[in-house]
């Protein structure tokens, strides 16, 4: 495939990955996640697209796309868990459940 492409006069590595840095810090992602849980929204997607990207631009000027935000949420899971535990914000109330749709 590369031989065909290079015969067209363009040399390009087909398997090259992007190494672009995301523009939101882990702390910003964690803050948005905490705001979501305090907001009363039922779905993270509607919260992020309808509230954060529209009305919180002054606090988060470099928001990323929703798909990238979902990836960043996965990366910020452990730091967020450690923060909540260290601040004693994760005490069990006796009722616990897991919602698979928010862990995507």
């Amino acid at each position: 495939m590369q031989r065909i492409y290079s015969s067209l006069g363009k040399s390009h590595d087909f398997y090259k990955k992007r190494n672009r840095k995301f523009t939101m810090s882990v702390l910003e992602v964690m803050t948005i996640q905490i705001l979501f849980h305090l907001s009363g929204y039922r779905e993270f997607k509607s919260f992020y697209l309808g509230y954060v990207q529209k009305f919180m631009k002054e606090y988060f000027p470099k928001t990323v796309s929703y798909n990238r935000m979902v990836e960043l949420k996965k990366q910020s899971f452990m730091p967020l868990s450690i923060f909540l535990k260290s601040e004693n914000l994760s005490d069990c109330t006796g009722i616990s459940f897991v919602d698979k749709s928010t862990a995507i």
Side-chain angles (χ1 to χ4, degrees), residues 54-72:
K54 288 183 181 177
F55 301 112
M56 301 193 80
K57 274 289 193 190
E58 68 180 89
Y59 301 109
F60 305 104
K62 296 181 179 180
T63 57
V64 294
S65 69
Y66 174 73
N67 290 335
R68 182 65 178 139
M69 182 57 150
V70 170
E71 293 174 6
L72 296 176

Side-chain angles (χ1 to χ4, degrees), residues 90-97:
S90 61
D91 294 336
C92 184
T93 60
I95 300 172
S96 301
F97 65 93

Side-chain angles (χ1 to χ4, degrees), residues 6 13 17 19 30 37 40 51 57 61-65 77 87 98 103:
S6 63
D13 186 7
K17 285 190 165 189
N19 290 327
M30 289 170 47
H37 288 286
Y51 186 73
K57 274 289 193 190
K62 296 181 179 180
T63 57
V64 294
S65 69
F77 175 74
E87 297 296 318
V98 176

Side-chain angles (χ1 to χ4, degrees), residues 1-2 12-18:
M1 191 69 163
Q2 283 183 332
H12 182 70
D13 186 7
F14 282 104
Y15 306 103
K16 193 173 189 177
K17 285 190 165 189
R18 291 184 180 186

Side-chain angles (χ1 to χ4, degrees), residues 79-101:
L80 181 61
S81 299
I82 292 169
F83 170 73
L84 293 175
K85 192 65 177 171
S86 69
E87 297 296 318
N88 291 327
L89 299 174
S90 61
D91 294 336
C92 184
T93 60
I95 300 172
S96 301
F97 65 93
V98 176
D99 184 6
K100 182 181 176 188
S101 64

